[in-house]
Amino acid sequence: MSCVFCGGNVVAKKATFIYEHGEQLLVIRGVPAEVCTTCGERTYSPEITDEIMKFAKQRFQPIKLIEVPVFDYGHKVATAV
Ligand SMILES: [Zn+2]
């Protein structure tokens, strides 16, 4: 199997999937993915995508909560040091 974008080699890896769900950002670790060794493009099988969607719809217990800084590309303000 090769990458649909660059034709590079694709290997099976565990990836971190980040999914925006309204005001929530879901981070799902250890998702089986096919990752291109050249450009890093990740592909998920339809079965895995279905599983991922369950995390958005069902309220599973997260393993931990992290604080995420949110930036806006058009709004750059240096922090006071
Ligand atoms: Zn690629």
Side-chain angles (χ1 to χ4, degrees), residues 17-69:
F17 189 91
I18 299 174
Y19 178 77
E20 206 172 350
H21 184 66
E23 274 292 289
Q24 263 193 325
L25 207 59
L26 307 178
V27 180
I28 310 163
R29 298 200 318 199
V31 181
E34 303 285 321
V35 183
C36 175
T37 54
T38 307
C39 73
E41 181 63 30
R42 294 165 184 179
T43 326
Y44 302 95
S45 70
E47 298 81 55
I48 298 298
T49 310
D50 279 356
E51 283 297 307
I52 290 169
M53 289 307 128
K54 287 183 186 169
F55 286 90
K57 289 178 190 144
Q58 302 175 19
R59 295 202 167 257
F60 295 132
Q61 184 67 38
I63 53 165
K64 65 175 177 177
L65 292 174
I66 57 167
E67 208 176 315
V68 181

